[in-house]
Amino acid sequence: MSNIKVAPSLLSADPLNLEAEVASVKDAGADLLHLDIMDGCFVPNLTYGPHVAESLYGLGLPLDIHLMVKDPDRIVPLFLPWAAYLTVHVEAAAHLHRVLQNIRDHGVKAGVALNPATPPECLSYVMDLVDLVVVMAVNPGWGGQKCLTGMARKVQAVRDMVQATGRMVEIQVDGGVTPETAGLFVKAGATILVSGSYLFKAPDRRTAIIALRESTS
Ligand code: DX5
Ligand code: ZN
């Protein structure tokens, strides 16, 4: 049995039925709920505020909160009470080291996300502060975009960096993940797969999650 974790992205869920949508992916075997926070500034789109995270918190799936916001130092405190993982973008953080330290000081797992153009070397001086590295396989802002499968090479580089630390650090791939693309990323070292459009459109979400977990390249 594969120990790959699956994190459905709520962005592709029916916005009029969020509670039922979360229950559905929870029953289907999801490990985490991926919540995309967009500010209309770092990315052009807008999504949810902390009151939505607070409401989702009680539904029984740990929240994996992906902040696509400018100056995350300002926004992080709003989401700390509800997050199991709280991720900031390296491109958006003026003080990456400090913001990661702040997240961990609150007992929340700290994540760093890398846009497709961002090289993995930017993590060198914060590796001891991260619990999660998110390799974006699309440019952030929308669900349903085409997967940049070349990001598997970055996943591999991140895996080498993680192994060098000797610590347990999750490696997540976000964007365009389907059973066709997942195997490539898992082989390269991914341990968490985010899935939005594929999973929420699937006729049977349990089968879809199993297909992601068991996909091989
Ligand atoms: C994109 C978001 C993703 C998105 C993934 O900016 O960070 O989490 O919802 O959706 P799919 O799986 O449809 O690419
Ligand atoms: Zn995301």
Side-chain angles (χ1 to χ4, degrees), residues 9 11 34-38 64 66 68 134 136 172 174-175 194:
S9 163
L11 203 56
H34 185 83
L35 189 62
D36 290 298
I37 310 297
M38 305 188 189
D64 166 33
H66 177 191
M68 282 159 276
V134 180
M136 295 302 300
Q172 182 178 96
D174 186 6
V194 173

Side-chain angles (χ1 to χ4, degrees), residues 24 44 74 111 144 171 176 195:
S24 152
R74 291 176 304 121
I171 303 176
S195 176

Side-chain angles (χ1 to χ4, degrees), residues 10-66:
L10 201 68
L11 203 56
S12 293
D14 175 358
L16 292 180
N17 290 295
L18 290 186
E19 188 172 2
E21 291 283 70
V22 174
S24 152
V25 290
K26 183 168 181 263
D27 290 350
D31 300 280
L32 300 162
L33 185 67
H34 185 83
L35 189 62
D36 290 298
I37 310 297
M38 305 188 189
D39 67 348
C41 189
F42 178 65
V43 291
N45 207 353
L46 284 165
T47 55
Y48 322 100
H51 64 301
V52 177
E54 181 177 4
S55 304
L56 295 168
Y57 178 75
L59 299 182
L61 267 182
L63 297 184
D64 166 33
I65 302 184
H66 177 191

Side-chain angles (χ1 to χ4, degrees), residues 133-150:
V133 177
V134 180
V135 175
M136 295 302 300
V138 295
N139 286 291
W142 291 272
Q145 301 182 75
K146 189 174 162 8
C147 187
L148 301 167
T149 51

